[in-house]
């Protein structure tokens, strides 16, 4: 049977996550995402790697293990300094991660290997970003949580609670999302019994593509165009009347509310008043849904997680080219969980192709 792009083909069995698109449900290890959106990044990673929720002792241990694995080696720094200045961050990240392909990462993959990659990726991103921007280079702060430290290394400042909480919730909500292109890429590479570093390099290369991990520049442009709450209705109404797509609304998989957007909105509401960019996003979402219901009755168009991701990036004042790397700093947990699962009952992926070329008579 031929299915273009393998759409609808079940290629693996998994207990990591599942998407019920029609119902707007996403589960991690049996938990609906709304139930666990309050978890810290460290706790979410533990759940995906080990399959159960951590105790307080487990959470503290995983936090400490991540903290002590953040440092770049001198060789990694040398690579970052030697790369062409015009090389994008995702390509730089892919290159530096490749340099970790030493014998200790050989088959079989382990949680400890997964933890090292997860810990070091934010450091690579922040170091490369500040290096290219000719800004100070900050070393990791072991007193900060995983997400707080990422923000600190990017900016050199301790983040506000509203922004740190919003980014952490976003990263927990995007740790994993089923058999997406990058997760499949990682599993295919791992299925050859290649090392974890090779599998993650494959995933990063896949995530880099604009059809997968592309930056939400359209949402940022929308929020910038609106600027203040008073302009929201006129801008949105004008775009709908012109037939323009309202960026950040609707989703290819979810046919109703994106559960990640619901959970992220809840977190933003808890900290309402803590950051003007996030407050504006909340107002714009409410106004847009009202206008879409009025102007496009019968269409189920709701905000997706990309809408709030853009708002968070805007609140941190980071350029849109940091969105995909930040997404990657989260999704590394899901990728490594998939590789670990693949290794437990491995079969090499070897699909068939349908030949449509000429045949010699």
């Amino acid at each position: 049977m031929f299915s273009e792009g393998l759409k609808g083909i079940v290629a693996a069995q998994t207990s990591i996550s599942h998407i019920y698109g029609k119902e707007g449900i996403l589960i991690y290890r049996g938990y609906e995402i709304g139930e666990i959106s309050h978890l810290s990044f460290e706790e979410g990673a533990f759940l995906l790697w080990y399959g159960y929720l951590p105790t307080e002792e487990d959470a503290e241990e995983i936090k400490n293990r991540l903290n002590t694995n953040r440092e770049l080696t001198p060789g990694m720094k040398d690579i970052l300094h030697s790369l062409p200045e015009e090389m994008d961050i995702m390509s730089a990240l892919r290159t530096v991660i490749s340099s970790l392909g030493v014998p200790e990462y050989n088959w079989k993959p382990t949680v400890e290997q997964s933890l090292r990659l997860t810990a070091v990726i934010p450091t690579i991103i922040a170091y490369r970003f500040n290096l290219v921007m000719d800004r100070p280079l900050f070393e990791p702060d072991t007193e900060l949580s995983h997400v707080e430290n990422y923000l600190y290394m990017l900016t050199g400042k301790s983040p506000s609670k509203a922004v740190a909480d919003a980014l952490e919730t976003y990263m927990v909500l995007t740790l994993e999302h089923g058999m997406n292109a990058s997760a499949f890429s990682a599993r295919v590479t791992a299925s050859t019994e290649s090392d974890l570093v090779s599998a993650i390099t494959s995933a990063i290369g896949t995530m880099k593509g604009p059809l997968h991990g592309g930056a939400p520049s359209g949402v940022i442009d929308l929020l910038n165009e609106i600027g203040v709450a008073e302009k929201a209705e006129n801008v949105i109404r004008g775009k709908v009347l012109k037939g323009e797509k309202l960026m950040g609304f609707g989703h290819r998989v979810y046919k109703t509310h994106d559960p990640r957007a619901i959970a992220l909105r809840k977190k933003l509401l808890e900290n309402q008043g803590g950051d003007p960019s996030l407050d504006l996003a909340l107002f714009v979402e409410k106004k847009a849904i009202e206008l879409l219901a009025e102007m496009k009755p019968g269409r189920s168009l709701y905000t997706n997680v990309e809408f709030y991701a853009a708002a968070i990036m805007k609140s941190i004042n980071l350029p849109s080219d940091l969105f995909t790397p930040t997404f990657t700093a989260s999704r590394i947990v899901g990728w490594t969980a998939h590789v670990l699962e693949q290794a437990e009952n491995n079969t090499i992926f070897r699909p068939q192709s349908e030949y449509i070329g000429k045949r010699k008579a």
Side-chain angles (χ1 to χ4, degrees):
M1 182 182 73
F2 170 64
S3 176
E4 191 170 17
L6 299 180
K7 290 177 182 176
I9 301 297
V10 176
Q13 293 181 315
T14 184
S15 60
I16 301 170
S17 74
H18 190 65
I19 304 160
Y20 296 91
K22 291 182 179 178
E23 296 90 348
I25 294 171
L26 169 64
I27 59 172
Y28 287 0
R29 298 290 191 184
Y31 293 93
E32 287 196 27
I33 199 68
E35 299 177 81
I36 54 174
S37 59
H38 65 282
L39 296 180
S40 67
F41 180 94
E42 293 87 345
E43 291 168 332
F46 185 99
L47 172 63
L48 289 177
W49 286 331
Y50 290 99
Y52 58 91
L53 287 171
T55 63
E56 286 187 18
E57 292 78 13
D58 291 332
E60 189 62 27
E61 181 187 351
I62 208 80
K63 180 179 178 180
N64 290 336
R65 287 162 69 192
L66 282 168
N67 283 358
T68 56
N69 274 281
R70 293 173 179 164
E71 297 284 344
L72 300 180
T73 65
M76 294 165 82
K77 290 182 179 179
D78 287 345
I79 291 171
L80 285 167
H81 281 272
S82 68
L83 295 174
E85 188 174 316
E86 63 272 17
M87 179 181 279
D88 63 273
I89 295 174
M90 287 296 288
S91 294
L93 177 62
R94 181 191 61 211
T95 304
V96 178
I97 289 297
S98 274
S99 74
L100 289 171
V102 292
E104 68 224 50
Y105 282 90
N106 286 350
W107 187 267
K108 272 182 150 182
T110 66
V111 171
E112 200 59 38
Q113 295 172 2
S114 304
L115 194 145
R116 166 60 172 160
L117 293 176
T118 301
V120 79
I121 278 178
T123 309
I124 297 170
I125 295 167
Y127 195 97
R128 175 64 179 178
F129 174 69
N130 286 326
L131 179 65
V132 171
M133 298 297 291
D134 197 25
R135 290 161 49 155
L137 304 174
F138 304 103
E139 294 298 323
D141 185 336
T142 56
E143 297 299 312
L144 298 176
S145 72
H146 187 75
V147 174
E148 288 172 337
N149 177 66
Y150 177 48
L151 287 170
Y152 165 73
M153 286 191 298
L154 283 169
T155 65
K157 300 175 184 176
S158 296
S160 71
K161 183 179 185 303
V163 168
D165 282 357
L167 183 61
E168 179 155 49
T169 302
Y170 164 73
M171 292 183 76
V172 169
L173 296 171
T174 54
L175 290 171
E176 163 63 8
H177 205 236
M179 190 65 84
N180 53 76
S182 53
F184 182 57
S185 178
R187 289 188 80 132
V188 169
T189 301
S191 78
T192 69
E193 296 193 0
S194 190
D195 56 275
L196 179 63
V197 167
S198 294
I200 298 310
T201 302
S202 294
I204 292 171
T206 307
M207 175 71 89
K208 183 176 179 285
L211 294 184
H212 187 14
S217 55
V219 182
I220 292 174
D221 291 343
L222 174 66
L223 294 173
N224 284 338
E225 185 178 350
I226 292 171
V228 293
E230 291 76 16
K231 291 177 60 180
E233 180 165 353
N234 284 341
V235 171
I236 295 167
R237 191 178 290 278
K239 288 185 177 298
V240 175
L241 287 172
K242 291 175 186 175
E244 294 180 18
K245 185 177 180 181
L246 208 56
M247 303 304 293
F249 291 79
H251 194 276
R252 185 176 62 83
V253 175
Y254 296 108
K255 305 309 177 187
T256 179
H257 294 275
D258 182 337
R260 301 167 300 172
I262 293 173
L264 199 45
R265 183 198 306 122
K266 181 180 177 183
K267 175 59 67 174
L268 265 59
L269 285 169
E270 289 174 8
N271 292 310
Q272 195 163 16
D275 183 90
S277 294
L278 299 180
D279 291 346
L280 176 64
L282 286 166
F283 182 85
V284 169
E285 181 204 31
K286 182 179 178 182
K287 181 59 64 177
I289 289 174
E290 287 176 5
L291 292 173
L292 286 169
E294 171 198 327
M295 303 173 74
K296 289 185 175 290
R299 293 280 302 278
S300 297
L301 291 173
Y302 301 101
T303 35
N304 54 47
V305 74
E306 188 179 84
F307 178 85
Y308 284 115
I312 293 166
M313 296 295 283
K314 180 174 165 59
S315 72
I316 308 169
N317 292 318
L318 294 182
S320 60
D321 60 1
L322 267 174
F323 172 78
T324 305
T326 301
F327 188 5
T328 301
S330 166
R331 189 55 61 82
I332 176 63
V333 175
W335 292 337
T336 50
H338 275 280
V339 173
L340 292 168
E341 184 177 66
Q342 181 69 32
E344 288 305 307
N345 185 26
N346 186 50
T347 300
I348 189 170
F349 284 93
R350 183 63 174 86
Q352 298 294 311
S353 59
E354 181 181 3
Y355 179 68
I356 60 171
K358 294 180 180 179
R359 183 178 178 181
K360 195 172 182 179

